[in-house]
Amino acid sequence: MKILVTGGAGYIGSTVVHQLINAGDQVVVLDNLYQGHRSAVHPRATFVQGDLADRPLLDRLMADHRPQAVMHFASHTLVGESMEQPSLYLRDNVVNGLNLMESAVAHGVQRFILSSTANLFDEPEEIPIKDGERIVPGSPYGESKHILERYLHWMDRIYGLKYAALRYFNACGAAHEDLGEDHDPETHLIPLVLQVALGQRDRIIIFGDDYDTPDGTCVRDYIHVLDLAQAHILALRALDRGSRTYNLGNGRGFSVKEVVETAREVTGHPIPAEAGPRRPGDPATLIAGSEQIKADLGWEPQYPELRQILETAWAWHQKHPEGYGD
Ligand SMILES: NC(=O)c1ccc[n+]([C@@H]2O[C@H](COP(=O)([O-])OP(=O)(O)OC[C@H]3O[C@@H](n4cnc5c(N)ncnc54)[C@H](O)[C@@H]3O)[C@@H](O)[C@H]2O)c1
């Protein structure tokens, strides 16, 4: 299949592109390199540097390459930033996504995968969060993904665009030692912890150690980037059988202390950690269930262990302590 991947130079998108090309698909990557890295793009992918805000560019790209499917990863991605700069999310993320969907439909694309988020569930009734949980976006970031999901719903009803929306929390780990996570600024716990092991930070601050969890620190869902990639590809192949929306999670959570402790074991570094105050708005435990995608598509995480996650991330960070360097 010929697939346009937006954000294919970013962390998750670049991993999906590698998997698609290894599976024999043809890939066109569109990325403005705002966060992405040219060298993360698979050499056999066609790379176009450009911005989703540029609708004429999107139309040219669709006309020139005639993709059969679109996988949409390009986005502003930070919950905290979205609370400070909501317009980047409620305007840019939304308008860029709509540009892409409209251009796709205008050029006869019939399949669309949206990288959504579990930040749609700010007040879950149950943990793990079930498929079909009531939507209460936790931030302008979550709201922007919710709007794109709703737009897809109508694109399907009106134009027959089949879509999958995948809702997940923290992507982590590395596909291999040359393909991993490199964000600037880095805000995710695992790379920050590993930066301490690399000597790039002196310690890690734990935001609150008095939560109602087994060791007092927040428990979160960490899902390996290869498992995420596999889920996106399975969802793409299933679209001929109709649109779908899934939660994607590891199935269990790990506390901040467990992450730090496992990182100490994997790296052999003492990784000093210090408890600080809670961050406003951080719930004690967030874990996504994945029952529906398991039942429908047979998806199962292959890297659910914290040790596997940290070992793969460490292999990448050790070999590329400064990231991609571009
Ligand atoms: N990383 C996570 O833990 C996580 C969790 C849930 C959902 N997601 C979603 O997954 C997707 C990918 O996340 P990621 O961590 O790989 O992010 P990333 O920042 O590494 O990748 C996003 C890519 O999109 C590109 N981009 C951004 N805006 C663009 C624009 N206007 N035009 C063209 N390119 C643009 C960036 O340069 C970057 O390469 C995002 O949609 C994010 O919301 C991520």
Side-chain angles (χ1 to χ4, degrees):
M1 200 185 299
K2 190 157 191 183
I3 303 156
L4 170 63
V5 180
T6 75
Y11 172 42
I12 304 171
S14 62
T15 301
V16 171
V17 169
H18 275 69
Q19 303 274 75
L20 288 170
I21 287 180
N22 290 343
D25 294 295
Q26 286 174 275
V27 177
V28 179
V29 167
L30 173 69
D31 201 298
N32 62 4
L33 300 183
Y34 155 74
Q35 274 290 334
H37 307 276
R38 179 66 184 88
S39 53
V41 178
H42 194 291
R44 291 214 303 278
T46 302
F47 178 70
V48 178
Q49 183 168 352
D51 198 293
L52 287 165
D54 186 347
R55 175 69 199 266
L57 167 74
L58 291 178
D59 287 336
R60 271 200 313 279
L61 209 153
M62 297 281 178
D64 289 351
H65 295 282
R66 303 229 149 265
Q68 294 152 290
V70 170
M71 299 178 95
H72 180 37
F73 294 95
S75 174
H76 294 287
T77 64
L78 303 176
V79 170
E81 181 183 62
S82 81
M83 298 297 279
E84 287 160 13
Q85 299 186 66
S87 296
L88 282 184
Y89 291 76
L90 295 172
R91 184 189 56 215
D92 294 4
N93 270 4
V94 170
V95 171
N96 290 344
L98 302 192
N99 274 344
L100 180 65
M101 290 175 203
E102 284 168 6
S103 181
V105 164
H107 290 84
V109 175
Q110 290 179 333
R111 302 176 186 86
F112 196 103
I113 303 288
L114 174 69
S115 188
S116 188
T117 176
N119 188 245
L120 298 184
F121 310 120
D122 205 36
E123 294 168 5
E125 273 177 16
E126 286 173 30
I127 299 285
I129 300 166
K130 57 186 186 307
D131 288 282
E133 170 66 63
R134 185 175 60 120
I135 292 181
V136 181
S139 65
Y141 166 68
E143 188 74 75
S144 71
K145 299 283 185 176
H146 182 218
I147 295 168
L148 294 180
E149 287 194 6
R150 292 305 302 161
Y151 203 77
L152 281 170
H153 166 82
W154 291 107
M155 290 277 138
D156 181 6
R157 273 193 61 181
I158 296 168
Y159 300 114
L161 177 70
K162 297 298 165 217
Y163 70 92
L166 301 179
R167 300 165 168 175
Y168 44 93
F169 285 116
N170 308 294
C172 59
H176 54 73
E177 60 182 15
D178 294 318
L179 190 63
E181 187 168 11
D182 177 9
H183 289 124
D184 183 18
E186 188 50 79
T187 59
H188 299 98
L189 177 64
I190 290 176
L192 289 176
V193 167
L194 295 179
Q195 284 175 2
V196 180
L198 286 169
Q200 296 170 339
R201 292 175 185 268
D202 58 352
R203 68 212 153 110
I204 196 87
I205 304 289
I206 298 177
F207 298 119
D209 62 353
D210 56 352
Y211 283 93
D212 183 16
T213 58
D215 65 20
T217 62
C218 285
V219 172
R220 293 288 180 266
D221 193 307
Y222 297 93
I223 179 162
H224 197 285
V225 67
L226 284 172
D227 288 326
L228 275 182
Q230 194 53 29
H232 284 80
I233 292 170
L234 284 173
L236 174 69
R237 312 272 190 239
L239 286 187
D240 291 344
R241 291 179 273 131
S243 295
R244 52 208 59 231
T245 297
Y246 295 123
N247 288 1
L248 264 184
N250 181 329
R252 63 199 161 118
F254 301 110
S255 73
V256 178
K257 274 190 182 160
E258 282 178 285
V259 170
V260 174
E261 194 44 54
T262 309
R264 288 176 179 142
E265 288 165 22
V266 166
T267 63
H269 187 285
I271 310 185
E274 193 179 290
R278 291 182 177 200
R279 268 188 317 203
D282 259 351
T285 303
L286 285 174
I287 305 170
S290 311
E291 297 319 310
Q292 203 60 49
I293 191 168
K294 287 180 176 170
D296 289 0
L297 307 184
W299 177 81
E300 278 293 336
Q302 303 301 305
Y303 303 89
E305 301 297 332
L306 190 50
R307 207 182 167 86
Q308 298 171 302
I309 289 169
L310 278 157
E311 279 172 354
T312 59
W314 183 231
W316 150 257
H317 283 283
Q318 259 190 314
K319 190 161 173 203
H320 301 274
E322 305 301 332
Y324 288 99
D326 65 1

